[in-house]
Amino acid sequence: MSDSLRDQLLQAGFNAPKETERPKRRAGNKSRGKNRNTGGSAGKGAVSRQPGPSTTTQARKHQGDAEADARIAKRKAIKAEIKTLIEAAAIKEFQGESVYRFILNKRIRELHVKEDIRLQLIAGSLLITRLNGSTWLVPEATATAIRELNPDWAIVAPATDSGEDTSGYEDFAVPDDLQW
């Protein structure tokens, strides 16, 4: 049994796949089917290249790249400022046995917190935010400052009334501190 697997398969009747030749691509050939004016002489009637539409297109492309870089730099600066706000004002020790459930990006998430922290979350004096995959608890003033910097930042506020019609249910009291 010193034959290789390939030899054994060939003896069993399996044929080795034939290698087909594929046309090799050139690294710089990205404009298929377009005539490219390289600027070199192409024979007797070659015309020197004049600044035209392609150079203005290149200038626009470079301007667009600069604008994109500026937007990226601005976003990074805002995120760094938000990070310093969160790290400066965040509650560090909030782990506990009470469960606080909240909805973030259409998903129900759980956070195990101390009872006094849970009551502050229900009241709205503490809010939940996310940064780099971590959950942070911040005061309401910090959350307001974060929203001023980036209105799309993920901040979870306590649920408010959904606006449903509750007439007819006055006789059925539902406690405010209902736990799941």
Side-chain angles (χ1 to χ4, degrees):
M1 295 278 303
S2 65
D3 292 336
S4 68
L5 178 62
R6 181 178 180 274
D7 294 335
Q8 291 176 10
L9 289 173
L10 287 174
Q11 288 175 359
F14 291 100
N15 293 331
K18 296 179 182 177
E19 292 185 24
T20 59
E21 284 191 33
R22 294 183 183 175
K24 295 182 180 179
R25 289 190 204 169
R26 292 184 191 170
N29 190 7
K30 292 185 179 181
S31 61
R32 293 183 183 173
K34 294 181 182 178
N35 288 336
R36 292 176 46 181
N37 186 1
T38 58
S41 64
K44 291 183 181 178
V47 179
S48 65
R49 185 175 177 149
Q50 298 293 324
S54 63
T55 55
T56 57
T57 306
Q58 289 175 353
R60 280 189 220 134
K61 182 179 177 184
H62 291 299
Q63 182 181 6
D65 290 345
E67 290 173 0
D69 291 343
R71 283 193 301 258
I72 290 170
K74 184 178 178 182
R75 271 189 270 152
K76 285 183 179 181
I78 289 173
K79 185 174 180 179
E81 192 171 343
I82 289 173
K83 181 179 179 181
T84 57
L85 280 172
I86 290 173
E87 289 176 347
I91 306 293
K92 306 285 190 258
E93 298 294 323
F94 62 86
Q95 299 290 330
E97 294 194 17
S98 295
V99 177
Y100 181 78
R101 291 181 178 87
F102 60 97
I103 297 175
L104 181 65
N105 296 332
K106 299 181 182 180
R107 294 181 66 192
I108 298 175
R109 297 179 185 253
E110 286 186 352
L111 191 62
H112 294 273
V113 295
K114 297 176 185 172
E115 184 61 29
D116 60 332
I117 300 289
R118 187 176 83 63
L119 294 174
Q120 290 178 9
L121 286 167
I122 291 171
S125 61
L126 282 180
L127 300 175
I128 300 171
T129 187
R130 302 275 297 175
L131 175 67
N132 297 333
S134 299
T135 303
W136 299 81
L137 301 179
V138 294
E140 186 179 11
T142 304
T144 305
I146 291 170
R147 280 196 180 122
E148 288 175 2
L149 290 171
N150 185 354
D152 297 329
W153 195 264
I155 297 176
V156 179
T160 59
D161 285 341
S162 61
E164 295 178 5
D165 184 24
T166 59
S167 61
Y169 295 103
E170 293 85 16
D171 296 336
F172 304 101
V174 177
D176 289 340
D177 61 345
L178 182 66
Q179 288 192 5
W180 297 350

